[in-house]
Amino acid sequence: DIQMTQSPSSLSASVGDRVTITCQTRQDIRKSLNWYRQEAGKAPQLLIHDVSDLEPGVPSRFSGSGSGTDFTFTIISLQPEDVATYYCQQYDALPITFGQGTRLEIK
Amino acid sequence: QVRLQQSGPGVVKPSETLSLTCSVSGGSITNYYWAWIRQSPGKGLEWIGHIHHTGSPNYNPSLKSRVTISMDTSKTHFSLRLTPVTAADSAVYFCARDRAVWGDDAFDMWGQGTTVTVSS
């Protein structure tokens, strides 16, 4: 299985801050990476596919970058409604695997 | 608007069978894969497997000996069967639409989730 290492596991930031989450793998997954957010008690929501392509309706303050083994998810200007847990997911090889998540809170 | 509605019991006895169904409405079931994913505090999000309407499922090797994903012949719902279950199978189970056919294997629509507890 392809192990996804996400960091940090949690972070606290102020409204307006730039927030960055990283996702690393030990093997090259090319650009086969998606990002999700999950609010408490709800199903995950797809935000970004193929590293950097935003899903329709997702605000432009969200972005993704990277390739190979190192990937980054960024919120340019944190908003109160961004409180959630964020996950990366690889699909380069089965079984599909997820990162362990990053819990984002507002200071 | 595609909607996924899950149904099934919330409690299953150890060594018995967990059975869940995901009903799909508002869109075609034929152009996508359809997946089951579970989430537990200890293991995070875990992909269980997925199925295409042609009927060829793929499973997570960690569960392959115990899991069956099937799709009904009318292609309006798909199901998960896991047996025998243990306490380690207690989790929130989600069904999801999987865009594997389109190349990005992204889960873009989700069911509401079913909390399953394995307990006698």
Side-chain angles (χ1 to χ4, degrees), chain A residues 3-48:
Chain A
Q3 185 177 1
M4 313 295 291
T5 303
Q6 217 178 306
S7 63
S9 57
S10 65
L11 73 94
S12 182
S14 299
V15 172
D17 282 356
R18 181 186 183 95
V19 169
T20 299
I21 299 168
T22 65
C23 188
Q24 293 184 306
T25 65
R26 290 184 180 177
Q27 62 191 80
D28 188 341
I29 62 167
R30 300 175 292 176
K31 296 180 82 68
S32 306
L33 187 104
N34 303 321
W35 289 96
Y36 300 81
R37 64 181 273 164
Q38 184 179 30
E39 297 176 57
K42 295 186 178 181
Q45 174 197 1
L46 177 66
L47 295 180
I48 291 173

Side-chain angles (χ1 to χ4, degrees), chain B residues 24-90:
Chain B
V24 181
S25 60
S28 172
I29 204 167
T30 59
N31 292 331
Y32 295 89
Y33 277 76
W34 300 89
W36 288 98
I37 295 160
R38 69 182 183 180
Q39 185 172 33
S40 60
K43 296 194 74 174
L45 287 163
E46 182 179 26
W47 177 77
I48 298 170
H50 63 196
I51 189 167
H52 189 254
H53 82 279
T54 57
S56 52
N58 292 297
Y59 300 126
N60 192 320
S62 67
L63 298 168
K64 189 173 183 177
S65 64
R66 299 192 293 130
V67 68
T68 303
I69 296 175
S70 60
M71 185 173 283
D72 80 320
T73 54
S74 65
K75 298 179 176 53
T76 61
H77 66 262
F78 62 106
S79 301
L80 170 69
R81 186 173 181 270
L82 182 67
T83 189
V85 297
T86 71
D89 294 312
S90 296

Side-chain angles (χ1 to χ4, degrees), chain A residues 1 34 36 38 42-46 49-50 55 87 89 91 94-96 98, chain B residues 37 39 45-47 58 60-61 94 98-99 103-108 110-111:
Chain A
D1 299 6
N34 303 321
Y36 300 81
Q38 184 179 30
K42 295 186 178 181
Q45 174 197 1
L46 177 66
H49 66 94
D50 295 325
E55 284 291 293
Y87 296 92
Q89 171 236 324
Y91 59 91
L94 295 181
I96 292 166
F98 294 84
Chain B
I37 295 160
Q39 185 172 33
L45 287 163
E46 182 179 26
W47 177 77
N58 292 297
N60 192 320
F94 294 100
D98 180 348
R99 301 197 309 218
D104 65 12
D105 236 327
F107 305 107
D108 65 347
W110 294 70

Side-chain angles (χ1 to χ4, degrees), chain A residues 31-104:
Chain A
K31 296 180 82 68
S32 306
L33 187 104
N34 303 321
W35 289 96
Y36 300 81
R37 64 181 273 164
Q38 184 179 30
E39 297 176 57
K42 295 186 178 181
Q45 174 197 1
L46 177 66
L47 295 180
I48 291 173
H49 66 94
D50 295 325
V51 174
S52 59
D53 293 337
L54 264 62
E55 284 291 293
V58 173
S60 58
R61 65 179 180 276
F62 296 102
S63 66
S65 63
S67 68
T69 61
D70 293 278
F71 303 88
T72 300
F73 172 83
T74 300
I75 305 175
I76 295 172
S77 176
L78 185 65
Q79 300 301 304
E81 60 266 31
D82 297 335
V83 170
T85 300
Y86 293 82
Y87 296 92
C88 57
Q89 171 236 324
Q90 71 79 24
Y91 59 91
D92 191 69
L94 295 181
I96 292 166
T97 50
F98 294 84
Q100 74 273 29
T102 297
R103 179 175 290 184
L104 176 56

